[in-house]
Amino acid sequence: MSNSVLILNGPNLNMLGTREPEHYGQDTLSQIEDRCRKLGAELGWEIDFRQSNNEGELVTWVQEATHVHQAIILNAGAYTHTSIAIHDALKASGVSVIEVHLSNIFQREEFRHTSYISGLADGVICGFGGVGYELALRTLAVKK
Ligand code: CA2
């Protein structure tokens, strides 16, 4: 299998940098992507970085990850708290997952404290803004 990591971003994350900096910081998603690509190159990972507002598209991308990507770094956005479909796809894929959130979901509304992904993830990183994606990549490099 290639040294490829799939970084998936869910709904509304394409809006980063436009509103709610108190929760999500100032970075745009494309700035986060650039930093992941730079760090990925240093660590020897090929980075496939995607965003979708569509639950079904995220499910399809997870399904296609089997035997293609070493791991998925997943910020499923609000689908984290609702999507049994993404949970089932992750479970069936057998691909290692690291769950990432920009904000500390446990300091926020009660409905954000539930994740359908955490129980399947190798680990969860939240509350460190865009740096969380880089921490996830570094963790994968240690496990390589
Ligand atoms: O903290 C995270 O990374 C979240 O996954 C972000 C989701 C939220 O629903 C999760 O509970 C936690 C929302 C991302 C929306 O981002 C926006 C950024 C700027 C303007 C509008 C939305």
Side-chain angles (χ1 to χ4, degrees):
M1 207 186 308
S2 66
N3 278 333
S4 171
V5 177
L6 178 62
I7 304 181
L8 289 185
N9 296 279
N12 294 309
L13 286 160
N14 56 314
M15 302 298 288
L16 283 182
T18 63
R19 281 190 288 124
E20 301 191 60
E22 67 284 8
H23 288 308
Y24 305 126
Q26 310 274 0
D27 293 337
T28 63
L29 194 60
S30 120
Q31 288 170 328
I32 292 172
E33 176 177 357
D34 287 349
R35 291 206 305 270
C36 286
R37 289 194 184 287
K38 189 162 176 274
L39 181 61
E42 282 170 32
L43 299 173
W45 294 112
E46 194 179 298
I47 303 296
D48 186 343
F49 194 102
R50 306 183 196 183
Q51 186 274 333
S52 179
N53 292 323
N54 183 316
E55 184 177 16
E57 190 163 39
L58 292 163
V59 166
T60 300
W61 289 343
V62 170
Q63 288 175 356
E64 291 172 351
T66 307
H67 305 310
V68 175
H69 299 286
Q70 290 270 339
I72 301 172
I73 295 173
L74 176 60
N75 183 350
Y79 289 143
T80 304
H81 321 298
T82 61
S83 181
I84 296 168
I86 293 174
H87 170 101
D88 287 347
L90 287 169
K91 198 168 182 179
S93 78
V95 181
S96 291
V97 184
I98 298 181
E99 179 180 355
V100 169
H101 298 285
L102 298 153
S103 62
N104 181 350
I105 54 176
F106 301 104
Q107 273 182 349
R108 302 183 64 195
E109 304 95 322
E110 190 87 30
F111 65 82
R112 293 186 207 274
H113 301 181
T114 299
S115 167
Y116 284 95
I117 292 158
S118 301
L120 300 172
D122 292 350
V124 182
I125 298 169
C126 73
F128 299 109
V131 171
Y133 292 75
E134 295 168 69
L135 294 173
L137 278 171
R138 289 194 184 280
T139 303
L140 289 173
V142 170
K143 289 177 22 168
K144 211 172 188 177

